[in-house]
Amino acid sequence: MATPRLRFAPSPTGYLHVGGARTALFNWLYARKHGGVMLLRIEDTDKARSTDESTRAIFEGLNWLGLQWDEDVVHQGANLDRHRADAERMLANDTAYRCFCTQEELAERRAAAEANKDSFKYDRRCDRLSAADIAARLADNMPFTVRFRVSEGHTSWNDLVHDTISFPNKDIEDFIILRTDGTPIYNMAVVSDDIAMGITLVMRGDDHISNTPKQILLYRALGAELPQFAHLPMIHGLDGKKLSKRHGATAVGDYQHLGILPGAMLNFLALLGWAPGDDIELMTRDEMIALFDTKGLQKKAAIFDTKKLEWMNGQHLNLLPIDELMSRVTPALVASGHVSAEWLAGHSEWYLKLLELLKVRARTVDDIVQQAGPYLTESVVYDPDAVARQWKDRAFTETALAGVHEALSALPGWNATAMEEALRAVAERLGLGDKAGKIFQPLRVALTGSSASPGIFDVLELLGRERSLARLSSALHFIANTTT
RNA sequence: GGCGGUAUCGUCUAGGGGACUAGGACACGGCCCUCUCAAGGCUGGAACACGGGUUCGAAUCCCGUUACCGCUACCA
């Protein structure tokens, strides 16, 4: 079998959408799995809506996801001459004809048909024009479009996800392939490009199912070999409608900025419309390639539920090799303004420990950044809820924290075992028995400002002797000077 | 309206005639672990759209109905 050639062909009219990203992913997985190539084609023939900014966003999104395309990017707009030449070849081999009907006439007839509750279909009147008539109109410089002449019969293909799909040709009108200005219509441009690029498998959203019979007809008229087709289901929002802006974050860039890992995004997207079987859910990129099979492709549209994405991101956060995680977290940490990359590099052992402790209770990179705050700043900000709950009994809190301060200052070293022994002794002394948690919680607030954190001794170690004791003093001071 | 596509827990899905008392995951509830929060383990509730066939036997095959989605442009 020849090398499979696939393409991802977005139009640059917005950001890279999660649906587009998933289409790109499946194309990429198939290509990587079967030793093929995935090309990128920017469909920028709609000048009014296409922007360079969108093109850049598509590149960025794909790069972030690690979906590298092969060969040079194809810009559809650069191939206009070939599109036109292909259409003219069809005119020459009599599979297409000139249509002199104006847009206004067409609109009128369409409106009339609709008023009669009839479905409108071009009546082929220009296909019945005599040669002399055509010559005369051409001599008059009358503008014309080029229409494809749809033959009798039916058009069907064996779709990789839907099996056989068939359309009666009588339901397909003689569609326009070239506008009055000589530019190609979508289906014309796509087929011309797919042939030129040697595409062997067209894998795209199932909103293109109805375009497929038209495209197949064009391949035949051009004498080209048909590619295989695979139509992927759509992605919908929670309300079951096609995913769009009003559903919230739909651009892959949005998720990047929310602290989602590209590996998690890919994994989540892959599971929307594909299942490897055996109840496998968590996969790395390489595992997805190894497991990918069009047999597992789903026919049904999937609903984009970010809850599972977040869970999955938490899983990937823990699966990711720590140095890779570090390279994702460091820029975010620096952006938070609490530290410099240099400082972190100079304290790599400490930084590593911090990450190990935080990653297990974070779901996103942003969670890590937020939780890292207390360890990177000089002073701590008390969470009002935590203060209200954990420092409720002020007298007790004061004696407890003072006792902790005393016990910890007396310690010769600063290690977890010794500290735990000392603090449990304090609890014992205060008559708390084995309920040392009663002093750990107030202590946690004093050290981190929050009632949730890694294990208290890990926090103490991370903060170090000096900062820990200073925070205890500050807490004592805060309590003494606050009236409730 | 016409044409096409789709239909399993709230969501993502396994399932391709008997292994189904329909499995897993997210979310939700409970329990365990525990200094908090997570993570983890155990556990509970929760689905074959409906109606006809075919068959000894149907979530699985066929037909119809319904619902949803897409296309129906000199947009892509």
Side-chain angles (χ1 to χ4, degrees):
Chain A
M1 189 174 136
T3 306
R5 291 174 67 82
L6 296 89
R7 86 302 198 273
F8 171 53
S11 36
T13 54
Y15 294 98
L16 179 61
H17 187 272
V18 291
R22 194 196 50 166
T23 301
L25 170 63
F26 287 151
N27 273 283
W28 184 84
L29 285 174
Y30 187 98
R32 290 293 174 273
K33 167 88 182 192
H34 296 99
V37 295
M38 180 187 79
L39 312 184
L40 176 62
R41 180 171 74 225
I42 302 294
E43 308 215 320
D44 53 358
T45 50
D46 184 352
K47 291 279 179 275
R49 290 195 296 159
S50 301
T51 65
D52 289 346
E53 198 195 345
S54 300
T55 302
R56 249 177 283 122
I58 289 167
F59 292 165
E60 273 171 31
L62 255 20
N63 283 330
W64 177 68
L65 289 168
L67 263 24
Q68 196 45 251
W69 57 91
D70 305 292
E71 304 183 9
D72 291 336
V73 176
V74 173
H75 291 272
Q76 191 160 58
N79 300 327
L80 253 33
D81 289 344
R82 189 194 60 243
H83 302 153
R84 189 176 307 129
D86 280 342
E88 275 159 6
R89 252 170 68 211
M90 288 191 259
L91 216 42
N93 72 17
D94 213 31
T95 50
Y97 60 92
R98 293 183 181 82
C99 173
F100 298 92
C101 299
T102 66
Q103 260 178 101
E104 293 68 33
E105 289 168 348
L106 256 13
E108 254 172 52
R109 282 182 241 155
R110 199 182 332 262
E114 268 162 27
N116 276 337
K117 297 210 166 180
D118 283 336
S119 58
F120 176 79
K121 200 179 128 194
Y122 183 63
D123 61 8
R124 299 184 148 165
R125 64 179 66 187
C126 288
D127 195 22
R128 293 187 293 269
L129 257 24
S130 69
D133 208 347
I134 295 172
R137 292 178 190 224
L138 251 21
D140 271 358
N141 271 326
M142 240 178 119
F144 62 87
T145 60
V146 177
R147 280 188 191 269
F148 181 78
R149 185 184 298 109
V150 176
S151 52
E152 308 264 291
H154 66 275
T155 304
S156 59
W157 73 95
N158 201 321
D159 198 274
L160 249 38
V161 350
H162 293 272
D163 297 321
T164 306
I165 300 182
S166 183
F167 283 78
N169 288 9
K170 67 173 172 55
D171 292 324
I172 306 170
E173 75 169 352
D174 285 357
F175 55 97
I176 292 174
I177 54 178
L178 227 49
R179 296 187 186 90
T180 325
D181 66 0
T183 58
I185 277 312
Y186 173 72
N187 285 311
M188 180 69 237
V190 166
V191 171
S192 179
D193 283 346
D194 282 340
I195 293 171
M197 290 162 77
I199 301 303
T200 62
L201 203 208
V202 173
M203 195 186 277
R204 71 233 301 188
D206 67 14
D207 48 342
H208 287 291
I209 285 180
S210 333
N211 281 322
T212 307
K214 297 180 188 174
Q215 295 184 5
I216 287 174
L217 260 15
L218 293 181
Y219 274 95
R220 293 205 184 118
L222 288 167
E225 205 178 313
L226 282 181
Q228 278 191 292
F229 291 97
H231 287 95
L232 273 9
M234 302 271 84
I235 294 180
H236 290 166
L238 262 350
D239 58 358
K241 305 268 187 242
K242 193 169 169 173
L243 198 62
S244 68
K245 296 270 188 292
R246 66 198 166 74
H247 290 106
T250 54
V252 314
D254 294 340
Y255 291 96
Q256 176 180 2
H257 295 118
L258 254 25
I260 296 295
L261 261 14
M265 191 75 208
L266 250 19
N267 192 167
F268 176 69
L269 251 19
L271 257 27
L272 243 42
W274 175 63
D278 294 328
D279 293 333
I280 295 171
E281 300 228 300
L282 290 172
M283 291 172 281
T284 63
R285 217 171 304 213
D286 288 342
E287 286 165 341
M288 284 192 261
I289 295 173
L291 258 15
F292 189 74
D293 188 340
T294 54
K295 280 192 186 65
L297 251 19
Q298 193 76 17
K299 296 183 177 76
K300 187 184 69 166
I303 289 173
F304 193 82
D305 182 7
T306 49
K307 280 277 176 32
K308 190 157 183 174
L309 205 210
E310 284 168 21
W311 165 78
M312 189 161 275
N313 201 60
Q315 298 294 314
H316 277 261
L317 228 38
N318 283 289
L319 256 33
L320 206 62
I322 196 73
D323 55 319
E324 269 183 61
L325 179 63
M326 210 178 259
S327 69
R328 300 277 173 195
V329 174
T330 303
L333 236 28
V334 171
S336 77
H338 293 321
V339 265
S340 67
E342 292 71 29
W343 191 90
L344 289 174
H347 298 75
S348 59
E349 207 174 309
W350 180 87
Y351 182 26
L352 199 91
K353 190 180 171 201
L354 177 70
L355 275 189
E356 291 287 7
L357 287 172
L358 296 187
K359 71 174 189 178
V360 70
R361 54 207 99 219
R363 292 206 145 186
T364 64
V365 172
D366 288 21
D367 286 345
I368 294 183
V369 171
Q370 211 170 50
Q371 291 173 24
Y375 310 94
L376 299 171
T377 51
E378 243 349 280
S379 58
V380 89
V381 183
Y382 299 127
D383 168 44
D385 286 346
V387 168
R389 223 167 332 117
Q390 309 300 345
W391 291 354
K392 197 171 180 200
D393 184 342
R394 290 175 54 202
F396 168 78
T397 305
E398 278 195 277
T399 40
L401 293 184
V404 169
H405 188 279
E406 191 188 351
L408 290 180
S409 344
L411 245 33
W414 197 255
N415 66 80
T417 333
M419 288 190 280
E420 175 150 17
E421 215 172 289
L423 294 196
R424 291 205 185 266
V426 171
E428 197 77 40
R429 213 177 325 122
L430 292 177
L432 295 171
D434 62 348
K435 297 261 191 271
K438 295 257 192 254
I439 62 172
F440 292 167
Q441 275 307 83
L443 172 59
R444 192 183 311 279
V445 178
L447 296 175
T448 67
S450 155
S451 53
S453 83
I456 199 70
F457 304 106
D458 286 321
V459 173
L460 249 7
E461 281 192 333
L462 228 30
L463 251 22
R465 181 191 191 100
E466 202 179 319
R467 264 201 299 177
S468 299
L469 294 177
R471 283 188 189 181
L472 272 166
S473 303
S474 305
L476 253 5
H477 188 258
F478 176 90
I479 293 165
N481 290 282
T482 315
T483 46
T484 340

